[in-house]
Amino acid sequence: MNAQRQAVIDAIKGRLIVSCQAYPGEPMRRSDITAAVAQSVVSGGAAAVRVQGIADIVACRQTVEVPLIGLIKFGHEGVYITPSIAHARACALSGADVIAIDATLRERGEGETFADAVSAMHEEFPGVAIMADCASVEDAKAAEQAGADFIGTTLSGYTPGYQYARAATAGPDFDFIAAVCQSVHAPIVVEGRIHSPQDLAEVYQYPIHAACVGTAITHPWRLTEWYVDKLPKA
């Protein structure tokens, strides 16, 4: 194991990762705002941040020193989280310490596989870790075999039409978390629908490496909708 990669793995063990992302068309979809949000969550104790897009990776790299998990969303259907080696390379060159890549067993462009991406990135950027965004136990097992540094539960409930798709749960997919913990030995990062501190405490009852929270911390649009939805009905 490369010493730089190992240092990143160690730095987030038992800690909180915060996803700092805004969707296209939202008022907060600006790199300077993303960087400010990243600074804020680090001040609050986040051990790492997860950021989407080259501009945001660059902006955050200039403002926080914690490990930065970078990704590029390209497209809207199928494999769109860092779908090619070229996208992964761009994340690394922009300053990401960890690159999140869709690790589902679905077909992707250029005839590449997730294993191809892991091999290429570890060879070209030995200090950069790879996080496998998985939707199923089958994905997690294959990703570990391919050499992923982290196994993420990120895509559970978000892959409609996929042969191994899981139904979306209201909160964390605890059955999936348990199954992944029993199936792989690589460090597991739980991500997806952790909506409260109580949810976070509960996912840490499993033998995971770290957990990532996004919407419940960094998405005021959705947070406001949650509260508005609880207002008394006329």
Side-chain angles (χ1 to χ4, degrees):
M1 169 68 71
N2 176 276
Q4 186 176 341
R5 288 208 326 261
Q6 187 63 57
V8 170
I9 293 170
D10 294 342
I12 68 171
K13 182 175 176 58
R15 305 288 300 281
L16 175 66
I17 303 164
V18 176
S19 180
C20 304
Q21 299 183 49
Y23 298 99
E26 293 184 352
M28 292 181 65
R29 188 70 185 90
R30 283 177 24 201
S31 297
D32 60 326
I33 293 177
T34 301
V37 171
Q39 284 183 296
S40 296
V41 300
V42 169
S43 294
V49 295
R50 178 172 164 123
V51 179
Q52 189 279 135
I54 296 303
D56 286 8
I57 294 172
V58 171
C60 290
R61 183 72 292 163
Q62 296 178 42
T63 53
V64 299
E65 297 181 357
V66 299
L68 195 162
I69 302 170
L71 62 136
I72 294 174
K73 291 181 178 177
F74 186 78
H76 304 284
E77 297 179 350
V79 177
Y80 63 85
I81 295 179
T82 323
S84 72
I85 294 171
H87 289 108
R89 182 180 293 113
C91 289
L93 292 172
S94 299
D97 302 290
V98 181
I99 301 171
I101 302 176
D102 181 313
T104 61
L105 301 175
R106 298 176 291 181
E107 291 185 5
R108 60 195 72 207
E110 307 301 326
E112 299 171 355
T113 66
F114 174 76
D116 292 334
V118 175
S119 177
M121 295 309 296
H122 279 170
E123 180 176 355
E124 191 170 346
F125 302 94
V128 174
I130 301 298
M131 178 174 171
D133 283 355
C134 300
S136 70
V137 171
E138 290 81 3
D139 302 334
K141 290 179 178 179
E144 181 176 49
Q145 184 67 29
D149 299 289
F150 298 104
I151 303 297
T153 63
T154 319
L155 292 175
S156 174
Y158 295 110
T159 56
Y162 179 37
Q163 63 176 324
Y164 298 121
R166 298 180 61 83
T169 51
D173 188 344
F174 292 111
D175 289 342
F176 182 42
I177 295 167
V180 172
C181 288
Q182 294 172 359
S183 302
V184 302
H185 299 287
I188 297 167
V189 176
V190 171
E191 180 176 8
R193 297 181 295 278
I194 300 177
H195 290 160
S196 69
Q198 291 73 27
D199 284 344
L200 180 65
E202 192 165 352
V203 300
Y204 259 110
Q205 296 303 304
Y206 297 85
I208 65 172
H209 189 80
C212 181
V213 177
T215 298
I217 295 177
T218 61
H219 200 214
W221 182 326
R222 185 66 58 82
L223 285 169
T224 303
E225 288 182 335
W226 290 353
Y227 283 92
V228 169
D229 187 58
K230 297 301 180 183
L231 293 174
K233 306 302 181 184

